[in-house]
Amino acid sequence: MITTEASLPRTETTESIPCFECESGELKPTLQDYASKHPKLGEFTVPDVPVLVCDQCGDTVIGEEGNAKIDAWLDKALNVISPEEIRQFLDKYSLTQKEASRITGLGEKNICRWLGGRSRPSESVSNLLRLLLADETAFERLKQRNFSQGADAPVWPAEERQPEEEEAEILSWVDFPKLVEIGLVEKTRSPLSKRTQLCRLGQCSDLVEFREKFTGYFDKMAAFKDTGQRSNPVSAGLWAYLGEKAARHVETAPFHRDDLRAAVKQLRELTSHPLEESAEDVKEILARAGVALVFVPVMKESALRGCTRLITSNKAVIIHGLKYRNLSQFWIILFHEIAHLLLHITKPGEVFTDYDDQTGDGQERDADAWAYDTLVSMDRELEFRSQSPEPGPNQLLDFANELRVHPAIVAEIFNKRAGGEIISYSRLKKAGLFPHLDEAATRALMATSRF
């Protein structure tokens, strides 16, 4: 007779365990083949399963380790999707379990059980979820079909009405004119129309749900935030959401940190080129390393310049706001976000703690230090500063040419490290060494992102 007890100690234990059947013997660890039947597999045998066997009556107990081996064998034999893959599916499309249930028709309770490993999805369900995870077009088709048909299909918003007091406050947090500029909503002065359009944009029944959705979305990002500026998580989360949505349209190779490290060397060589000319090369180099670089206009009260996350284990996104529209900030923010991908982010959906002071956050300090040192090493700076304590534009230009980095970036890093203006920005601008993107060039870069 075989008794299954998932709560038993693991079989490698050396403690004496009395037999549950005869009560006079002891359970001893050993390996046995486990034979059973399955509706799809028929009779099957799992070899060398860790079990506990009574030294008196021979009663056999399968403990935690044995059950784990049997489950793993069945999962492989049945080609069952893992809880980790299901989590990747939810994270890739920013779905709650409830939303995933509506789209796939698989049942919210079933999805919950599969995520927790409490039950095993069928092969057909596994194949469906793997297809949707791999094929974004298939997912969008299924989503549109299941969200637009049937009596139970959700309606956004649940009702068209004037925003209530709480919703009016939420509405004030959203940069509606910027959404009009991007082309995601239509221009209007009507609070009712704004409420309706935002609910449809966020696929939410009301603005309270809209707030919860995008506040949660921001929590998933590693962000370069302007501290000391007014911000709200709804605006920040919406900005991050649009960036990830744009990233889904960008084809990339599978993400790999070694490829990204190699890409850094190529990117650094582009830093002395005009940004209008090099931006497409930057995007292509990052895409080959598995990173989608997208541009999203900065929203009011988002206080964000850039952010990053792993969308899946095979694809990362860096969202850039081009906030100050100058070359030095573009590169410093980009390298800061690359630092997070290389140093801190190890899995999809990893959460970064928000901060009020960037200098007080260890991961932010690490990212800054890596970005600065990769662009202008501290050793080279100290060497230069010892020879030129008060450098002028010409000296800076010569040094930057040696480094093969734009002088604006060198000056910015010198000043950031010193906490003040070692090199005057006004002098650099007069000398033509601190280039800015004009409005047309900025719009052109933003237009490369599809939402």
Side-chain angles (χ1 to χ4, degrees):
M1 179 175 75
I2 296 180
T3 304
T4 301
E5 291 287 346
S7 61
L8 283 174
R10 297 172 69 87
T11 54
E12 66 265 25
T13 181
T14 58
E15 297 180 3
S16 174
I17 303 175
C19 177
F20 301 105
E21 187 68 22
C22 69
E23 299 183 353
S24 61
E26 291 184 1
L27 296 175
K28 303 291 186 181
T30 188
L31 299 176
Q32 286 187 1
D33 291 349
Y34 173 83
S36 187
K37 291 183 179 180
H38 187 276
K40 182 176 178 62
L41 301 174
E43 295 184 354
F44 68 91
T45 300
V46 183
D48 298 330
V49 175
V51 297
L52 297 170
V53 178
C54 177
D55 58 6
Q56 296 294 322
C57 69
D59 183 42
T60 301
V61 178
I62 303 176
E64 178 184 344
E65 187 177 4
N67 281 318
K69 180 160 186 178
I70 294 169
D71 286 343
W73 189 94
L74 285 171
D75 287 346
K76 184 175 181 180
L78 296 168
N79 195 30
V80 170
I81 192 169
S82 68
E84 290 74 21
E85 289 175 286
I86 298 174
R87 175 56 61 191
Q88 286 180 21
F89 168 68
L90 297 178
D91 286 343
K92 178 173 183 176
Y93 299 112
S94 301
L95 299 174
T96 63
Q97 293 177 32
K98 185 175 183 179
E99 289 169 338
S101 173
R102 286 176 179 174
I103 293 171
T104 63
L106 295 175
E108 187 176 354
K109 290 183 179 179
N110 285 334
I111 293 173
C112 182
R113 293 189 187 101
W114 298 334
L115 280 169
R118 297 190 298 276
S119 66
R120 181 180 292 109
S122 67
E123 184 177 10
S124 60
V125 167
S126 298
N127 290 339
L128 170 64
L129 291 176
R130 285 197 178 106
L131 170 65
L132 297 178
L133 178 60
D135 190 336
E136 296 176 6
T137 301
F139 171 79
E140 291 298 334
R141 287 175 181 167
L142 183 65
K143 177 181 175 181
Q144 292 302 318
R145 187 187 73 186
N146 286 359
F147 271 175
S148 61
Q149 297 179 0
D152 295 331
V155 178
W156 303 298
E159 57 177 324
E160 295 190 23
R161 55 171 171 75
Q162 293 291 340
E164 297 174 350
E165 183 177 355
E166 185 177 10
E167 290 183 304
E169 181 182 21
I170 297 167
L171 187 58
S172 71
W173 295 342
V174 177
D175 194 341
F176 201 87
K178 190 67 69 176
L179 297 177
V180 173
E181 179 185 316
I182 297 171
L184 296 175
V185 295
E186 295 180 0
K187 187 176 181 179
T188 180
R189 298 182 65 181
S190 164
L192 185 152
S193 178
K194 288 182 179 180
R195 176 187 181 276
T196 298
Q197 292 191 69
L198 289 179
C199 287
R200 289 173 181 168
L201 176 65
Q203 299 181 346
C204 301
S205 59
D206 56 39
L207 290 186
V208 174
E209 183 181 345
F210 184 93
R211 177 188 62 197
E212 299 307 313
K213 176 175 182 175
F214 290 107
T215 297
Y217 207 92
F218 172 63
D219 289 340
K220 297 178 181 179
M221 309 301 294
F224 193 118
K225 177 180 174 183
D226 279 327
T227 55
Q229 294 192 11
R230 184 175 178 181
S231 65
N232 74 74
V234 174
S235 183
L238 180 57
W239 183 81
Y241 163 80
L242 293 175
E244 186 166 319
K245 189 175 181 182
R248 292 178 187 154
H249 296 287
V250 180
E251 292 187 10
T252 69
F255 174 75
H256 199 285
R257 283 180 180 79
D258 289 342
D259 293 336
L260 184 55
R261 288 188 183 93
V264 167
K265 298 178 182 178
Q266 296 176 277
L267 292 171
R268 192 177 181 279
E269 294 177 0
L270 294 174
T271 58
S272 58
H273 295 237
L275 187 54
E276 301 93 317
E277 299 175 8
S278 63
E280 283 304 313
D281 290 332
V282 173
K283 293 176 70 173
E284 184 177 336
I285 290 169
L286 286 170
R288 291 200 295 265
V291 181
L293 172 63
V294 297
F295 301 104
V296 182
V298 173
M299 306 286 179
K300 75 170 186 181
E301 296 188 8
S302 73
L304 298 179
R305 300 187 224 174
C307 64
T308 188
R309 74 175 294 215
L310 275 176
I311 302 174
T312 70
S313 58
N314 287 321
K315 188 174 186 178
V317 58
I318 292 177
I319 309 169
H320 207 305
L322 299 174
K323 184 169 184 178
Y324 296 106
R325 295 189 356 204
N326 66 57
L327 182 142
S328 62
Q329 279 292 304
F330 170 82
W331 285 106
I332 289 173
I333 291 170
L334 180 65
F335 273 56
H336 176 100
E337 299 305 335
I338 291 173
H340 281 312
L341 289 172
L342 292 178
L343 303 178
H344 304 134
I345 301 175
T346 59
K347 58 186 177 182
E350 195 155 15
V351 173
F352 272 55
T353 304
D354 196 9
Y355 51 83
D356 293 320
D357 180 4
Q358 184 173 338
T359 60
D361 183 272
Q363 290 178 324
E364 294 301 311
R365 290 197 305 271
D366 288 347
D368 278 342
W370 184 92
Y372 296 165
D373 207 54
T374 301
L375 291 164
V376 182
S377 75
M378 178 67 82
D379 290 343
R380 292 300 305 274
E381 178 184 347
L382 292 174
E383 179 184 349
F384 172 73
R385 293 276 304 280
S386 67
Q387 298 171 358
S388 305
E390 297 181 2
N394 290 334
Q395 292 168 302
L396 179 69
L397 179 59
D398 290 341
F399 179 60
N401 287 338
E402 288 180 24
L403 295 179
R404 301 179 69 180
V405 173
H406 197 282
I409 299 171
V410 177
E412 188 94 29
I413 291 175
F414 279 9
N415 292 343
K416 290 285 186 184
R417 282 174 172 159
E421 285 196 16
I422 299 298
I423 300 175
S424 168
Y425 291 120
S426 61
R427 290 185 67 188
L428 290 175
K429 291 174 183 176
K430 287 180 181 178
L433 298 179
F434 204 79
H436 278 68
L437 284 172
D438 61 27
E439 191 69 37
T442 303
R443 283 199 302 268
L445 285 179
M446 292 296 176
T448 63
S449 295
R450 294 169 52 202
F451 304 109

